[in-house]
Amino acid sequence: MLWGRIFAPAVPRLGSLGASGDLIPLAYVARALQGHGHAYTGGERLTAGEALAKLGLKPVELDGRDALALVNGTSLTAGAGALAVSSLHRSLRGAVLLVALLVDILGCSSAFVDARLLAAFGHPHAALAGERLNQLLKGLVPSGTRGLQEPYSIRCAPQLIGAAASFVEHCAGVMCDDINAISDNPLFFPEQDVVAHGGNFFGQPAAFSGDALAVTAVQLGNLAERQLDLLIDPHRNGGLPPMLAPEPGRQHAVQGVQLAATALIASMRRAAVPASTQSLPTNLHNQDVIPFGTQAALNALDLATKLRLLHGSLAVALRQAACVGTRQPTARLCTELLSKISAEIPPIDGDRPLDADVRRAAALLDDMADTYLTDGQGL
């Protein structure tokens, strides 16, 4: 019985075409359950037999068509896709928190989230994003020194985040359907004395959704990277010092963070090429069209992970902006957000490695997203 035990079979990343399910990766899962190959437990890589023994478990004995049933499905694709959905759900809320804090620290007007404006747009998730931002910005006192219309990375944030939320919600439904689907073949219907041969193992729905999640992660990354660039530019940030350095020219402050963010978004953009359209015939042309669902889902999960780092980078910069600037947040919730970030991330008053700060800020955003913006409304 594996329930509640930490037993993770070592599975190759590549191998599945998604056309006959995740045959090769799931074969590694099945053989690990039998005590063959390798598995991880307690953070340690062991032979599967050793890992089972360490947990006080016996290898699974397979009979009949059990082995085929274990490998003939899209479990890996659906699992990776579901993890990507979960990560992006949280990152959507994190993006809203970051926009609100950016607006307050720069002293922008909140006119761009006017409920009437966003209702006229006609897209419910954009209106919901605006509603969330209005909640966070309640009590905001604009500086009065900003231009009438902010750059798109602020002014159009509800529309962008709302569109991303719509895509993630749709993909969540697809992954839920896939997890609950019977993707084995053939299927047996004993009541009708029927054995049905077909293609339920063809992972096209999850492949399309994996690619959609990847594109969504990249555009959310574009937004965060542009907001970071806006924040460090003294020509556009309301007079904050370049790179948010206390002593420009003698200190680099968030320069390394911004360089890494540029590298991250470039990497994400390159990875956004759809996997679901890369069909290649194989298996003596029996599998003459294939969806590559697992590659799409795993790619989406990778990009969701990189998006978290971009959000962590922006959070570090926002904390530094409040440190070197004369303006502090005026909205109560934004003040709370900054206080929580400041408690975890010290000011950059001398150059130091910031990679750990970025990761810590990303984890903190996850926690704050769950605390401030979780009420079952979908964003």
Side-chain angles (χ1 to χ4, degrees):
M1 180 76 174
L2 280 176
W3 186 257
R5 313 292 181 92
I6 300 175
F7 178 85
V11 177
R13 182 181 179 91
L14 296 177
S16 172
L17 306 178
S20 287
D22 301 321
L23 287 174
I24 293 176
L26 291 182
Y28 279 78
V29 174
R31 69 197 296 261
L33 295 175
Q34 293 178 290
H36 306 304
H38 293 82
Y40 294 88
T41 183
E44 185 180 7
R45 181 185 171 102
L46 302 169
T47 67
E50 291 171 336
L52 289 170
K54 188 173 182 178
L55 295 170
L57 300 170
K58 295 181 179 179
V60 173
E61 294 184 7
L62 302 178
D63 191 19
R65 68 183 302 278
D66 292 345
L68 179 61
L70 284 172
V71 304
N72 212 23
T74 55
S75 304
L76 178 58
T77 299
L83 289 173
V85 165
S86 178
S87 181
L88 287 173
H89 267 311
R90 190 172 285 114
S91 287
L92 283 166
R93 299 194 294 270
V96 171
L97 297 178
L98 291 167
V99 170
L101 195 50
L102 176 66
V103 164
D104 206 347
I105 285 177
L106 291 181
C108 307
S109 165
S110 61
F112 71 102
V113 289
D114 185 291
R116 295 159 297 185
L117 174 79
L118 293 172
F121 187 50
H123 294 274
H125 279 98
L128 179 57
E131 180 183 330
R132 301 297 206 191
L133 285 166
N134 271 313
Q135 292 168 359
L136 293 166
L137 291 170
K138 186 176 181 180
L140 168 71
V141 179
S143 66
T145 60
R146 303 286 300 178
L148 175 63
Q149 295 187 344
E150 292 290 345
Y152 285 12
S153 58
I154 291 177
R155 192 180 1 150
C156 301
Q159 289 83 357
L160 190 157
I161 294 172
S166 295
F167 263 68
V168 173
E169 183 175 282
H170 169 74
C171 294
V174 173
M175 295 305 174
C176 184
D177 288 344
D178 227 54
I179 287 172
N180 289 293
I182 297 175
S183 51
D184 194 5
N185 185 67
L187 299 187
F188 298 85
F189 301 92
E191 296 83 359
Q192 292 84 32
D193 193 27
V194 170
V195 178
H197 295 261
N200 283 4
F201 46 57
F202 196 81
Q204 193 69 68
F208 283 150
S209 290
D211 285 337
L213 291 170
V215 169
T216 300
V218 171
Q219 185 65 341
L220 287 169
N222 283 330
L223 178 66
E225 188 274 334
R226 287 293 84 198
Q227 290 171 340
L228 174 58
D229 183 74
L230 170 65
L231 189 61
I232 65 174
D233 184 351
H235 300 293
R236 297 179 294 144
N237 65 11
L240 292 170
M243 296 297 173
L244 307 177
E247 297 181 72
R250 299 188 58 168
Q251 297 169 331
H252 296 86
V254 298
Q255 180 175 335
V257 171
Q258 198 246 353
L259 291 173
T262 303
L264 274 171
I265 194 61
S267 171
M268 292 175 71
R269 290 175 183 177
R270 288 203 321 274
V273 175
S276 59
T277 58
Q278 307 301 319
S279 179
L280 292 168
T282 188
N283 192 224
L284 298 178
H285 288 263
N286 173 47
Q287 298 180 29
D288 55 350
V289 60
I290 54 180
F292 284 121
T294 307
Q295 292 191 29
L298 288 171
N299 185 49
L301 184 55
D302 287 344
L303 294 178
T305 300
K306 291 179 179 178
L307 175 62
R308 290 182 67 255
L309 295 177
L310 282 172
H311 281 171
S313 300
L314 180 56
V316 168
L318 285 165
R319 191 267 182 269
Q320 183 67 7
C323 178
V324 298
T326 58
R327 179 183 169 91
Q328 296 298 306
T330 55
R332 180 183 64 82
L333 290 179
C334 289
T335 300
E336 285 185 20
L337 292 173
L338 179 63
S339 178
K340 290 179 181 294
I341 296 172
S342 298
E344 294 286 335
I345 310 297
I348 309 167
D349 53 11
D351 288 344
R352 68 170 190 269
L354 294 172
D355 55 317
D357 296 69
V358 167
R359 295 181 187 279
R360 189 157 56 247
L364 183 60
L365 270 176
D366 288 345
D367 293 339
M368 292 195 300
D370 289 339
T371 300
Y372 285 89
L373 295 177
T374 301
D375 60 12
Q377 290 191 42
L379 186 67

